[in-house]
Amino acid sequence: MQNRIYSMDNPKAIKAQGFGWLNAIHYMAPADLAGVGNLCPAASEGCKALCLGWHSGQAGMAKGAELNSVRATELAERKAARMGLKLCVRLNGSTDIVWERIRVMRGGVEYPNMMAAFPSIQFTDYTKLASRFARPLPANYSLTYSRTDGRDVDALRLLSAGHNVAIVFSGERPRQWCGVAAIDGDAHDLRHLDPRGVVVALAPKGRAAKRDRTGFVWRPLRELAVAIATP
Ligand code: SF4
């Protein structure tokens, strides 16, 4: 089901229902594709190359996104109630907007952010902006750092501070990465249910990700050497 900006019928969102959650994922044109600034300020070359392939067809609703989001979230909240499910909203399905700092109006009242406007809804996101972990987040907002090419140092620093880090791995899901336990991140997208301080291991999605040579997809050194040597 699409309610203009939320997708609730992609494979991961459907898996969430088995856990008692309606997972609504908010897609917009990533990076600078909408032509109104950059919605992914920390995007790497690798992630942009792969993400644009997946999301280049999404509507470029950047201006007024917060107004659309309030209305769409109210509708999603009602749908979840009708289905007897809890609602989990992922605002940055294909962007990296600092939502905790965007004020919204709901019912004529101004709130510091979407999380404050909808305190009974769980929000989750992935982000490549390590700086977002420097301040406390709203209690109903779970943020997972998304490791990308050239950012292993940030990933390790955030893991040691007790945050979670999502990593796309090339082969079989490892049991640990750099000594930190790895969990299966593809079982669902309900990241707020994950234990803290773990690696969230994801499989590459699509042919481009499987053939990635930018370093966005993490490979063991031996496999990396073979990949680089293969034309
Ligand atoms: S992977 Fe994330 S940061 Fe990179 S372009 Fe896509 S949404 Fe933006």
Side-chain angles (χ1 to χ4, degrees):
M1 176 265 189
Q2 306 269 351
N3 74 359
R4 288 195 65 200
I5 57 174
Y6 280 135
S7 164
M8 302 183 203
D9 58 4
N10 65 66
K12 266 197 164 177
I14 288 168
K15 281 182 191 173
Q17 296 184 19
F19 294 83
W21 293 82
L22 181 64
N23 205 179
I25 305 180
H26 185 189
Y27 290 110
M28 288 192 284
D32 54 5
L33 206 68
V36 283
N38 185 358
L39 302 185
C40 301
S44 66
E45 287 312 307
C47 81
K48 264 198 293 190
L50 294 172
C51 199
L52 297 183
W54 277 102
H55 299 294
S56 56
Q58 303 293 342
M61 292 180 296
K63 278 187 185 160
E66 67 279 14
L67 295 177
N68 293 323
S69 303
V70 167
R71 181 73 190 126
T73 303
E74 286 170 344
L75 293 174
E77 195 174 29
R78 272 185 237 156
K79 180 179 169 73
R82 280 198 305 274
M83 296 172 75
L85 298 170
K86 292 168 280 186
L87 179 60
C88 177
V89 168
R90 183 175 151 202
L91 290 168
N92 280 326
S94 53
T95 49
D96 202 353
I97 297 168
V98 183
W99 282 99
E100 65 273 25
R101 298 182 69 183
I102 294 185
R103 303 185 77 81
V104 297
M105 293 290 293
R106 184 186 182 197
V109 178
E110 189 178 67
Y111 292 89
N113 48 46
M114 287 285 287
M115 300 82 207
F118 294 94
S120 59
I121 294 179
Q122 177 67 52
F123 292 85
T124 65
D125 264 325
Y126 300 88
T127 184
K128 288 185 166 49
L129 284 163
S131 57
R132 293 179 74 187
F133 296 89
R135 301 171 196 223
L137 291 163
N140 57 335
Y141 193 24
S142 166
L143 208 51
T144 297
Y145 182 68
S146 173
R147 175 259 170 213
T148 194
D149 35 314
R151 310 267 172 80
D152 286 343
V153 172
D154 280 336
L156 287 166
R157 184 174 56 78
L158 289 167
L159 278 171
S160 65
H163 299 292
N164 288 1
V165 173
I167 303 180
V168 181
F169 288 97
S170 61
E172 244 178 61
R173 177 167 59 88
R175 297 165 82 163
Q176 56 90 25
W177 180 77
C178 294
V180 180
I183 63 164
D184 178 5
D186 288 315
H188 56 67
D189 213 21
L190 303 165
R191 294 279 72 92
H192 59 290
L193 301 182
D194 295 340
R196 306 312 299 162
V198 296
V199 167
V200 178
L202 303 168
K205 315 288 184 313
R207 284 176 62 193
K210 284 177 189 146
R211 296 203 309 244
D212 172 69
R213 298 288 183 268
T214 65
F216 172 76
V217 175
W218 196 90
R219 296 168 190 277
L221 270 182
R222 200 178 313 154
E223 194 188 317
L224 189 62
V226 173
I228 289 169
T230 308

